[in-house]
Amino acid sequence: METLKLVASDLLMVVFAPPIMLGIIAKTKAAVAGRKGPPVLQPLYDTIKLLGKGAVYSKTTTWMFRLGPVVSLAAVIAAAALVPLARAPLISFNGDAILFVYLFALGRFVTITAALDTGSSFEGMGASREAAFSSFAEPALILAFASLAYRSGGLTLARMFAPYGGPSAAASTVLALGSLFVVLLAENSRIPVDDPNTHLELTMIHEVMVLDHGGPDLAFILHGAELKLALMASLLVRLVMPEMPLVGAVGSLILGLAATAVVIGLVESSMARLRLIRVPQLLVAAICAATFGLLLTLR
Amino acid sequence: MTLILAAVLALGAAALLSGLFSRHDPWARSAVIAGLAAAAACAGALAERALAGREVPDLLGPWLLPGAVFHVGIDPLSACFLLLVLIVGCCAGLYGEGYIAASHGHVPSTPARFFFLVLVGSMALLVAARNALLFMVAWETMALSAFGLVSCEHGKPEVRKAGLLYLLCTHVGSLCLLALFALLGSNAGSLEFSAFAAAPPLPAAWTTAAFLLALVGFGMKAGFMPLHIWLQEAHPAAPSHASAAMSGVMIEMGLYGLLRLLALLGPISLEAAFFLVALGLVTAVFGILFAMTQRDFKRLLAYSSIENIGIILTAAGLGCYGLARNNSSLALLGFAAAILHTLNHGLFKSLLFLSAGAVYQAVGTRDIEACGGLQKRMPWTCALTAIGAAAICGLPPLNGFTGEWLIYSWLLRPGAGHGLLLGGLAAAILAVVGAFAVVTFSKCYGLTCLGQPRSATASAAREASWIMLGPMALLAALCVGIGLFPGPAIRIAFTAAGDVARAAGPAAAASSEEWSRLLSVIGLLGVGVCALSALLWLFRKSLLHRREVARGPTWGCGFSAPTARMQYTGSSYPVPLTRVLAAALATREEAHPPVGYWPDKAAYESRTPDPALERWLPALTAKVEGWISVPRRLQYGRLQLYLLYVSAFLVMTLLWKL
């Protein structure tokens, strides 16, 4: 019964939390702009609607184009098994943090190749940018993980992302949090790196890669992207937020995710997208912050 | 132990027969296949016995050369590399038959067969050699047969140039090795490897000299930056099955040499270990950076070999750190990661070189910019290329991830000490290398196989023959198999690493069990990803079952007449990165942009020359030429004078001895 409850709560987190998080971001942005905005559940409605639609495939495409959304979603779901969502993660072992990073890389690789499969110059452009910018995000992620692993004494996500009370805890947490937050924005195509709601394909990164996908394929991609955001956000939440009384582990995680969504919404409302040549500079700043964090853990 | 001799003899006999039957193609082909099969059977049985931990007695025979003993033996380290030689050698050899047939006489069959078999045989002998002279003979045979393969198509001027460059480089390396063995031999009083191990340690200054000689001698073959200059020229020049064997196995013999020396001579200093790690990281970063900018498929792969050699060297350096710190578990982990990545690299790199050959035969060019859309025309080749590309990026659930994961685990292991900052930074550099590899190989696979054909030859491409596809499929299956079920490969790597790390058997076995348990979890998760993908695929199929599924043109964002030429190209794809890293790459661009209201012809050309080959080497040779201009006065080019020199030298040596 206990395991059943655990699986049910995990499933809840994997299926429902991600779209709702995106809904909260949209709602926050609307509220700041003085609009009413779409309902919080709109991303979920979109996904369900897309699952019921047919599809149009370009004549240029091959099986790679169809495989991309499937494998990228599977990789993100596998990554979810490693993340301590509400309680202990489904699978946890020494070194799972590296696998977590590389599962995202797998998802990125298949998304990029699926985009190149269309032979469209726009999608090639998106693929080229995605591949380039993630090259700066990945070292920041690894450096932040390194400082967390060193200070917690284990290379497992569950140990790294837990409240920590050792020496210079606050400073190293803040630095890791800062760099991870920038990586979260960059990897999940949020402002200031990418704008998922723009109408000009020329300025997009992630969205332009999936221009040709429709129907269930697009639903898989959207849900994969939302889940990726939720997974990274839940790591950040666990890093700073202890379990709160009254609401329990699941409740505090959900509250934390909602708060993260509001913060992302506020960031998106308060600034414009950076010029593309500025994006590497932002990510290098994240690398520097993570390196300082690493320095602080060495004493 | 006679089995290794039988394998080498079988390969030699097959080489001679294939040369004899140069007019009877089917006979020569049967000789090649029979020779490879016999060698595989003999040496495979031997490697299995050595890896299972059973004692294999050495074989000693007399030899006419002074100081030389024909001494061969096999231990797990040798067995591990022997296995690699055999797998890649057999796959590439079989593929080569299809490749030679498909080339319609462009690849001269006799030298391609002869030198290939000699190359495989000499490498099998090399890993078993237990005497420095035998080692050098095998090493030189390997180097020269590779020269024969590189200059197979010597009708082309660029091939001749590449061959000559390779020959020069490999001899610089061999000279260093001769000096190294002379040094070690004079210290030990014998050229037997066992004598090296038993000899008293060298004086400090000589140790440094020996380290540098080994680094240059083996590094020249392996391609450590900046000694890599011949690699990116020679690999594209050779026929593809030969480049697969050269890139997948031959350059790794340089690493075998280093590991063997470490096993014989024991730990090196801490500074030297740090130096190896730094050299490995520099090699990895610059290797992949230059790979990214290439538009020649095989040149890209050659640079990526340099990158992988860098990763392996990093891991070996980490192992040396463990040895220097007297921490056998760290040493074991580092060396095991190096050996595992060596095995993995041999598999996926030779797979990719074989794919490059199939594409070259079908399209008639190695230029990525002229390919595209091949997946519709060559579905099997492209599917196998996709597996190779994903494996070389180190993505789970394929084999490339297992070795890299071990290196990350070494670097990010928690513990006390000032080494941690360096560990974290090294891990970040590895992450950069991994991300750049994704750029490089999504370009290499995506722009070659996907999209629309960029040339008429690409749109007329035909699938390769089954004799080419079969070996590729076998290599791809090994890549997937090791990724999903890494247990056996891990055990092989740790057993072999036990020799280098000087860890006693039980300690190595325990450590191997621990890491293979962790990696099995990763493998299981990989199986999970595959199963989940299959489920999602079925779910998608069932969703689309009753819906309308239409086919149309690619969405052109409102532009109604997009053409294949508007696609991203191999040069434009990495531009967001190359612009940022312009200082390191020094890409030369020549642009004539369209000017005015009625623009004339516009042109753009970019090229990333290799700095070591095109800037540093000429500067160095100019310096050296200056130095040797003095002794050059002795060179008059008259035979009588040279005879005089010889007799004068003889008289001088006689006087010395008096």
Side-chain angles (χ1 to χ4, degrees), chain B residues 212-545:
Chain B
L212 288 178
L213 283 173
L215 204 63
V216 176
F218 291 124
M220 191 63 99
K221 183 65 69 184
F224 303 158
M225 291 255 171
L227 304 173
H228 67 280
I229 45 174
W230 62 274
L231 249 136
Q232 80 278 0
E233 307 295 326
H235 282 52
S240 280
H241 67 294
S243 5
M246 283 166 62
S247 191
V249 198
M250 190 187 81
I251 61 170
E252 294 178 340
M253 288 300 146
L255 292 159
Y256 167 77
L258 277 183
L259 291 177
R260 173 60 66 196
L261 271 191
L262 277 169
L264 288 175
L265 302 180
I268 55 174
S269 69
L270 205 58
E271 292 79 20
F274 275 121
F275 177 73
L276 286 186
V277 173
L279 183 66
L281 290 173
V282 167
T283 304
V285 169
F286 282 93
I288 194 68
L289 260 184
F290 283 100
M292 197 193 304
T293 57
Q294 303 305 318
R295 48 185 283 186
D296 179 328
F297 200 147
K298 283 172 82 174
R299 188 179 276 262
L300 182 152
L301 292 179
Y303 271 116
S304 137
S305 295
I306 299 172
E307 171 229 341
N308 279 286
I309 288 291
I311 294 176
I312 298 168
L313 180 62
T314 308
L318 296 177
C320 291
Y321 174 91
L323 270 186
R325 277 275 158 104
N326 244 336
N327 184 335
S328 69
S329 71
L330 279 185
L332 200 57
L333 181 57
F335 289 126
I339 292 170
L340 184 63
H341 200 74
T342 306
L343 284 180
N344 288 336
H345 173 244
L347 296 176
F348 49 62
K349 183 50 61 68
S350 44
L351 167 62
L352 283 170
F353 264 114
L354 299 186
S355 316
V359 168
Y360 177 62
Q361 292 292 2
V363 184
T365 172
R366 296 189 306 260
D367 189 359
I368 293 174
E369 239 106 289
C371 296
L374 294 181
Q375 190 144 294
K376 294 212 146 169
R377 289 151 188 90
M378 314 172 66
W380 289 105
T381 306
C382 289
L384 297 170
T385 312
I387 294 177
I392 202 168
C393 293
L395 298 176
L398 295 162
N399 63 346
F401 181 67
T402 53
E404 292 200 15
W405 183 83
L406 283 182
I407 304 178
Y408 278 117
S409 299
W410 196 106
L411 290 171
L412 299 180
R413 90 216 174 277
H418 56 276
L420 289 182
L421 173 66
L422 295 175
L425 289 180
I429 294 175
L430 268 189
V432 173
V433 170
F436 285 177
V438 169
V439 179
T440 308
F441 284 94
S442 60
K443 157 183 158 170
C444 166
Y445 163 67
L447 299 180
T448 311
C449 299
L450 305 176
Q452 287 182 19
R454 293 180 179 79
S455 66
T457 44
S459 52
R462 288 271 167 280
E463 180 61 282
S465 61
W466 64 267
I467 193 165
M468 288 162 81
L469 287 173
M472 286 165 67
L474 182 63
L475 289 170
L478 282 172
C479 287
V480 177
I482 294 181
L484 295 180
F485 307 102
I490 300 290
R491 270 187 285 278
I492 291 177
F494 270 90
T495 321
D499 287 352
V500 190
R502 306 187 157 201
S511 179
S512 145
E513 274 317 304
E514 183 197 337
W515 289 104
S516 83
R517 195 177 50 75
L518 285 178
L519 271 161
S520 301
V521 176
I522 293 181
L524 278 184
L525 210 68
V527 175
V529 171
C530 296
L532 208 58
S533 303
L535 275 179
L536 285 170
W537 183 271
L538 290 178
F539 178 50
R540 171 184 157 278
K541 262 229 140 87
S542 73
L543 282 173
L544 286 175
H545 184 54

Side-chain angles (χ1 to χ4, degrees), chain A residues 52 54-59 62 66 70 74 91 94-95 99 102 112-113 118-119 121-122 125 128 150 153-154 217 298, chain B residues 375-376 394 396 404-405 408 411 414 420-421 424 450 525 533 540 547-552 554 557 566-568 573 576:
Chain A
V56 183
Y57 290 110
S58 157
K59 282 180 209 144
T62 60
R66 293 151 184 77
V70 167
I91 302 166
N94 207 0
L99 183 61
Y102 271 75
I112 287 173
T113 42
T118 61
S121 43
F122 284 103
M125 187 173 72
S128 152
Y150 290 157
D217 293 329
L298 308 172
Chain B
Q375 190 144 294
K376 294 212 146 169
E404 292 200 15
W405 183 83
Y408 278 117
L411 290 171
L420 289 182
L421 173 66
L450 305 176
L525 210 68
S533 303
R540 171 184 157 278
R547 307 280 164 191
E548 190 192 351
V549 178
R551 296 183 71 82
T554 297
C557 300
M566 288 179 192
Q567 294 176 95
Y568 255 53
Y573 183 74

Side-chain angles (χ1 to χ4, degrees), chain A residues 255-290:
Chain A
L255 281 180
L257 285 183
T260 316
V262 171
V263 171
I264 295 173
L266 290 176
V267 168
E268 296 216 328
S269 319
S270 59
M271 63 195 301
R273 206 181 58 80
L274 288 174
R275 283 164 64 206
L276 282 172
I277 50 169
R278 297 255 176 235
V279 172
Q281 296 175 6
L282 177 72
L283 289 168
V284 168
I287 293 177
C288 294

Side-chain angles (χ1 to χ4, degrees), chain A:
Chain A
M1 196 60 217
E2 203 48 38
T3 44
L4 213 65
K5 253 168 83 178
L6 203 83
V7 169
S9 73
D10 272 1
L11 216 59
L12 210 72
M13 297 298 300
V14 167
V15 175
F16 294 105
I20 294 175
M21 227 187 126
L22 217 64
I24 296 178
I25 295 178
K27 205 74 178 170
T28 313
K29 285 169 80 173
V32 173
R35 290 182 284 115
K36 195 162 151 249
V40 173
L41 286 178
Q42 189 61 44
L44 190 62
Y45 299 153
D46 288 349
T47 309
I48 292 169
K49 185 162 191 179
L50 281 169
L51 283 176
K53 289 229 170 219
V56 183
Y57 290 110
S58 157
K59 282 180 209 144
T60 315
T61 58
T62 60
W63 50 265
M64 195 68 216
F65 182 77
R66 293 151 184 77
L67 197 67
V70 167
V71 174
S72 64
L73 181 57
V76 180
I77 294 178
L82 303 172
V83 175
L85 282 171
R87 296 179 191 82
L90 211 56
I91 302 166
S92 177
F93 58 93
N94 207 0
D96 61 1
I98 303 301
L99 183 61
F100 178 78
V101 176
Y102 271 75
L103 279 171
F104 283 164
L106 172 67
R108 186 161 62 237
F109 182 78
V110 288
T111 312
I112 287 173
T113 42
L116 290 173
D117 199 10
T118 61
S120 148
S121 43
F122 284 103
E123 290 178 49
M125 187 173 72
S128 152
R129 288 174 183 167
E130 172 95 355
F133 294 152
S134 63
S135 310
F136 295 98
E138 210 145 277
L141 194 59
I142 290 280
L143 278 169
F145 276 14
S147 70
L148 295 175
Y150 290 157
R151 71 174 205 188
S152 69
L155 194 55
T156 59
L157 287 174
R159 271 181 84 172
M160 285 156 57
F161 289 91
Y164 174 75
S168 69
S172 61
T173 305
V174 165
L175 284 168
L177 191 70
S179 56
L180 285 177
F181 189 67
V182 172
V183 171
L184 176 142
L185 293 177
E187 286 278 292
N188 293 289
S189 51
R190 313 305 312 180
I191 293 176
V193 172
D194 188 9
D195 186 356
N197 295 326
T198 177
H199 296 285
L200 196 60
E201 292 92 343
L202 268 176
T203 62
M204 297 180 186
I205 300 173
H206 186 263
E207 299 306 302
V208 76
M209 282 201 296
V210 298
L211 274 180
D212 262 77
H213 289 281
D217 293 329
L218 187 58
F220 287 176
I221 288 172
L222 289 180
H223 193 74
E226 289 158 3
L227 181 55
K228 189 175 169 189
L229 175 68
L231 289 181
M232 295 182 80
S234 60
L235 286 182
L236 294 190
V237 167
R238 278 186 58 103
L239 189 60
V240 286
M241 214 170 84
E243 192 177 319
M244 283 194 290
L246 298 178
V247 286
V250 182
S252 35
L253 180 64
I254 289 175
L255 281 180
L257 285 183
T260 316
V262 171
V263 171
I264 295 173
L266 290 176
V267 168
E268 296 216 328
S269 319
S270 59
M271 63 195 301
R273 206 181 58 80
L274 288 174
R275 283 164 64 206
L276 282 172
I277 50 169
R278 297 255 176 235
V279 172
Q281 296 175 6
L282 177 72
L283 289 168
V284 168
I287 293 177
C288 294
T291 312
F292 289 134
L294 186 62
L295 279 172
L296 279 178
T297 54
L298 308 172
R299 29 174 74 232

Side-chain angles (χ1 to χ4, degrees), chain B residues 7-83:
Chain B
V8 174
L9 285 179
L11 287 168
L16 286 178
L17 283 178
S18 77
L20 274 180
F21 297 140
S22 60
R23 305 274 168 123
H24 303 278
D25 211 45
W27 290 15
R29 182 177 305 163
S30 332
V32 170
I33 294 174
L36 284 172
C42 295
L46 192 63
E48 193 273 327
R49 207 180 299 168
L51 286 170
R54 270 176 286 168
E55 196 68 30
V56 184
D58 285 9
L59 183 73
L60 281 138
W63 204 3
L64 288 177
L65 286 174
V69 182
F70 192 89
H71 184 181
V72 286
I74 210 130
D75 57 359
L77 180 63
S78 301
C80 185
F81 278 85
L82 186 61
L83 216 56

Side-chain angles (χ1 to χ4, degrees), chain B residues 565-582:
Chain B
R565 281 177 60 91
M566 288 179 192
Q567 294 176 95
Y568 255 53
T569 62
S571 309
S572 60
Y573 183 74
V575 159
L577 268 180
T578 50
R579 282 276 150 81
V580 177
L581 304 167

